[in-house]
Amino acid sequence: ASTAGILYPRESESREVKSLDGMWNFRLSLPDSLVGFKERWYMKDLSKTGPVIQMPVPSSYNDVMVDKNIRDHVGLVWYDKSFFAPESWRQQGYRVCLRFGSVNYAAQVWVNTHLVLNHEIGHLPFQRDITANLKFGRLNRITVAVDNVLLATTVPQGSLQNISTNTGPKTIQTYTFDFFNYAGIHRSVFLYTTPIVYIDDVDVTTNFTEDGVGIINYKVQYGGSLSSGETLNCSITVLNNENVREKFTVITNDEEGLSGIIKIENAKLWWPYLMHEEPGYMYTLEIRLSTTWNVDDIYRLPVGIRTIKWTNTAFLINNKPAYLRGFGRHEDSDIRGKGMDYALVTRDYDLIKWIGANSYRTSHYPYAEEIMDFADRHGIMIVDECPSVDTDNFSDKLLKKHTTSLAELIKRDKNRPSVIMWSIANEPRSDHKDADSYFKYVVGFVKSKDKTRPVTAALNKWYSIDRAVKYTHLPFGELRCKNNANTHFLSICTFVYRSVAIFVKTLDGSRPITAAIAVQLDTDQLGQHLDIIGFNRYNGWYSLPGHTEIIKSRIEDEAAKWHAKHNKPVFMTEYGADSYAGLHVSPSFVWSEEYQVELMSEHFKAFDILRTKNFFIGEMIWNFADFKTEQSVTRVGGNKKGVFTRQREPKSSAHHLRKRYWALANHLD
Ligand code: GCB
């Protein structure tokens, strides 16, 4: 069975880590998705099943080759790799785990023809003890089948569409979210060893006293079973950020020392970037699990000491109100797609610090653990989002998967000081009649796992009926419903609460095109369940493009209304404009760098007023960098709302944002 914990693999005196990254054999499942199962490709080397190519891991497979069939493939692909399991591992009686950082979207894994793992939902790690399946001192094979198909019950959701082509019928993938559905083995694959009785999971929460004593509450869970008469002991050492033993005391709660309270005099707190001269201070908990007859297991967990609190108006870190200066982002780059890449991550964090940001949201899915490590160490605050984007078609099956994604995310990231909020969804259909009970359950679920962090979401439905009605009356561009394409020709005459009848007329007032269409158009039902309200709004872009003169008052008004409705802190989780780097137009015009800058300036005016109102806790521009999307006529080589290009070079907007973020940092911190 898979283990309970999902600790990141770290080498120690008792643990070895072996990377399986590199080139893997790869082939598409053709002519149909099931052929690999029918022909049992996991029973032999993939290269013996037919022609294979070499594919890098970690990487998305889509953009590596010039073959459109690979980029646009829908369904299964297969990978395999052979490796040696050292004989010494058996001699030492090691337990060996196979761990994937993430495979998008679903994966089945065989080791030497045995099915060992089955995991659904991308962007999250999964692992299993494979000791019994390994051949020590010999060659072993891992086979992975990866499925990228998204349906109404996957997270995120999508649907398949059948089209007819010149050469016959074909199935294509459609989805409403605005980023490319990259697939493959996106993050590192590790084999790691532990002793037979091992540290399986650790939970820490932190606090500090007024006189500067840092407090770490810890709880260790072990795996494996003790022989009869065997005893176990857990001991803790605290190291400072130079890996030197720190002075501390421990009061254990139980005889074995598996949980307790650690106190550190004059502790250094974990502070966000630019809120302190030494941001991102990390201690290390050195955990040693000793048993009578087994080898000790040693695991080192990085820990930052900080508190998070929130009120009806503020978000506080270490009891100090924090204002979020940040971004929405993506894991996205040329060639590798969503593949983890240290050079890229290093560059990104350097840019984040260069621009003076202190935070970002992991829109719209959990980011690689290696990326999160940087956030911990650089003091970047993370709004940690699960992969639920454009949530719609609420069903029990979806709810189950949605909460599973949150459970796995929380298990993975619970100990990270950088994680300041859980984001449970991006732009869900929170005006749907089923949204209230669905999200009430989701929020309750998160609270049952972690009460130390606030729950948020990025909302884009309207906060009030008034607003919704008013907006649907506008003939152009304002109505974003399923029928997007038709909205230009429609005006809406009648609106009835909840189950809505809408009469549609052509704009010149002639007969209705359709007598009535039934759509659900209501106001947001999720905000009431959240601790902190995030909202996405594209004034001057999707709403009245070209008209930056509407922005200031609308943003001011909307943020205030959200607060008035729910009496909770509010931040802007998305706003922005596309700009095609190098396109200059004066006076400003949509898609030019000038327009993006002007639209930002108008938002800044609103934010500056809002900041004086004492409930507005931050601004996150959409997006950090340009990113790839599915092919559509509204996207020029992808979404261009980045302040950096996809190659991570600054647009005019980056310099503009930098001025603001540094000024805010100097003024606020
Ligand atoms: C949004 C979505 C984001 C899109 C963005 C846009 O509201 O949350 O995923 O990329 O708008 O640029 O349209």
Side-chain angles (χ1 to χ4, degrees), residues 160-346:
L160 294 176
Q161 192 186 333
N162 294 317
I163 57 170
S164 60
T165 74
N166 305 338
T167 51
K170 182 179 172 182
T171 303
I172 57 169
Q173 175 78 62
T174 62
Y175 45 91
T176 58
F177 57 82
D178 185 37
F179 54 92
F180 192 83
N181 186 33
Y182 279 115
I185 304 177
H186 280 166
R187 299 178 191 158
S188 287
V189 185
F190 292 120
L191 283 177
Y192 71 93
T193 70
T194 75
I196 295 301
V197 179
Y198 57 94
I199 297 159
D200 183 40
D201 202 5
V202 189
D203 275 272
V204 298
T205 56
T206 62
N207 208 337
F208 55 89
T209 65
E210 260 169 41
D211 45 358
V213 179
I215 297 171
I216 304 172
N217 299 291
Y218 74 92
K219 194 172 131 223
V220 174
Q221 270 169 40
Y222 70 90
S225 44
L226 299 171
S227 319
S228 81
E230 190 173 23
T231 59
L232 169 145
N233 181 266
C234 180
S235 64
I236 307 279
T237 305
V238 180
L239 308 175
N240 68 15
N241 74 341
E242 280 156 3
N243 263 324
V244 177
R245 201 183 141 103
E246 182 76 36
K247 259 195 158 155
F248 66 96
T249 56
V250 190
I251 307 162
T252 56
N253 297 334
D254 54 284
E255 228 167 83
E256 293 161 323
L258 286 166
S259 68
I261 301 175
I262 301 162
K263 292 190 175 165
I264 305 166
E265 305 268 332
N266 299 318
K268 290 197 172 168
L269 300 182
W270 187 93
W271 284 101
Y273 178 56
L274 299 181
M275 240 172 125
H276 191 269
E277 68 276 5
E278 204 176 354
Y281 191 93
M282 297 295 284
Y283 290 95
T284 300
L285 281 199
E286 192 178 283
I287 304 164
R288 176 184 291 262
L289 190 75
S290 316
T291 54
T292 322
W293 295 307
N294 270 296
V295 189
D296 290 1
D297 188 20
I298 297 166
Y299 187 84
R300 291 182 180 81
L301 180 78
V303 174
I305 300 176
R306 57 109 180 92
T307 61
I308 281 175
K309 290 181 186 142
W310 62 99
T311 68
N312 294 337
T313 53
F315 171 79
L316 303 106
I317 192 140
N318 301 335
N319 298 325
K320 238 181 116 175
Y323 185 78
L324 304 174
R325 309 180 299 268
F327 305 95
R329 294 191 58 201
H330 269 296
E331 284 183 318
D332 175 272
S333 72
D334 288 335
I335 303 169
R336 45 188 85 55
K338 292 199 182 308
M340 203 327 265
D341 180 88
Y342 272 118
L344 179 75
V345 180
T346 306

Side-chain angles (χ1 to χ4, degrees), residues 177-179 330 361 363-364 389-390 426-427 458 460 480 536-538 541-542 574 578 622-623 627 629 635 639 641:
F177 57 82
D178 185 37
F179 54 92
H330 269 296
R361 176 169 63 114
S363 43
H364 299 305
V389 43
D390 295 8
N426 178 74
E427 301 196 348
N460 77 331
R480 290 179 77 187
N536 297 351
R537 200 65 72 200
Y538 286 89
W541 189 255
Y542 298 119
E574 283 184 30
D578 287 82
W622 191 257
N623 189 286
F627 58 91
T629 62
R635 295 285 177 260
N639 187 309
K641 293 194 187 67

Side-chain angles (χ1 to χ4, degrees), residues 367-617:
Y367 291 3
E369 291 155 280
E370 294 83 357
I371 296 179
M372 301 297 282
D373 285 343
F374 275 71
D376 284 338
R377 283 199 304 273
H378 291 276
I380 303 301
M381 294 180 278
I382 301 293
V383 176
D384 209 1
E385 190 157 281
C386 79
S388 183
V389 43
D390 295 8
T391 328
D392 198 356
N393 292 317
F394 301 93
S395 66
D396 290 347
K397 242 178 151 176
L398 182 72
L399 181 61
K400 178 93 195 64
K401 221 152 280 170
H402 191 163
T403 51
T404 300
S405 79
L406 280 156
E408 291 184 14
L409 173 62
I410 294 169
K411 187 186 280 182
R412 191 194 77 162
D413 287 351
K414 61 190 172 185
N415 295 327
R416 294 188 179 277
S418 58
V419 174
I420 56 161
M421 298 180 204
W422 302 114
S423 170
I424 58 169
N426 178 74
E427 301 196 348
R429 277 290 313 276
S430 61
D431 56 349
H432 190 282
K433 66 177 170 38
D434 298 334
D436 184 355
S437 60
Y438 181 97
F439 283 112
K440 187 175 175 198
Y441 184 85
V442 173
V443 174
F445 181 85
V446 174
K447 293 285 176 192
S448 75
K449 302 273 170 199
D450 180 18
K451 291 185 184 58
T452 69
R453 294 176 178 92
V455 178
T456 192
L459 306 174
N460 77 331
K461 298 304 167 203
W462 291 105
Y463 48 83
S464 76
I465 294 218
D466 260 21
R467 189 67 168 178
V469 174
K470 204 156 101 204
Y471 270 70
T472 53
H473 274 101
L474 293 173
F476 293 104
E478 296 290 356
L479 178 64
R480 290 179 77 187
C481 66
K482 284 267 153 197
N483 256 344
N484 241 346
N486 295 331
T487 54
H488 287 247
F489 308 103
L490 309 181
S491 81
I492 289 156
C493 310
T494 312
F495 176 91
V496 187
Y497 183 66
R498 277 219 178 217
S499 202
V500 186
I502 292 181
F503 299 95
V504 183
K505 280 189 185 171
T506 49
L507 272 183
D508 60 7
S510 61
R511 306 213 152 209
I513 308 172
T514 316
I517 50 169
V519 295
Q520 254 117 24
L521 197 62
D522 199 343
T523 55
D524 169 73
Q525 303 297 318
L526 168 53
Q528 58 183 326
H529 303 300
L530 301 173
D531 298 308
I532 293 176
I533 308 282
F535 74 103
N536 297 351
R537 200 65 72 200
Y538 286 89
N539 289 305
W541 189 255
Y542 298 119
S543 297
L544 298 171
H547 293 281
T548 55
E549 69 276 17
I550 61 159
I551 291 170
K552 183 169 144 284
S553 58
R554 281 198 185 187
I555 294 294
E556 241 187 279
D557 179 61
E558 177 162 12
K561 294 263 171 58
W562 279 112
H563 177 67
K565 184 167 181 198
H566 296 296
N567 193 25
K568 289 167 186 173
V570 175
F571 70 129
M572 188 145 205
T573 32
E574 283 184 30
Y575 70 96
D578 287 82
S579 73
Y580 199 87
L583 179 67
H584 293 281
V585 184
S586 183
S588 80
F589 201 82
V590 287
W591 286 92
S592 66
E593 294 201 25
E594 283 75 10
Y595 189 78
Q596 189 184 28
V597 165
E598 185 178 307
L599 177 137
M600 287 161 71
S601 295
E602 292 304 310
H603 281 83
F604 298 165
K605 288 180 195 163
F607 299 151
D608 282 340
I609 293 167
L610 286 166
R611 283 195 303 117
T612 65
K613 299 233 167 111
N614 197 34
F615 62 83
F616 193 71
I617 62 157

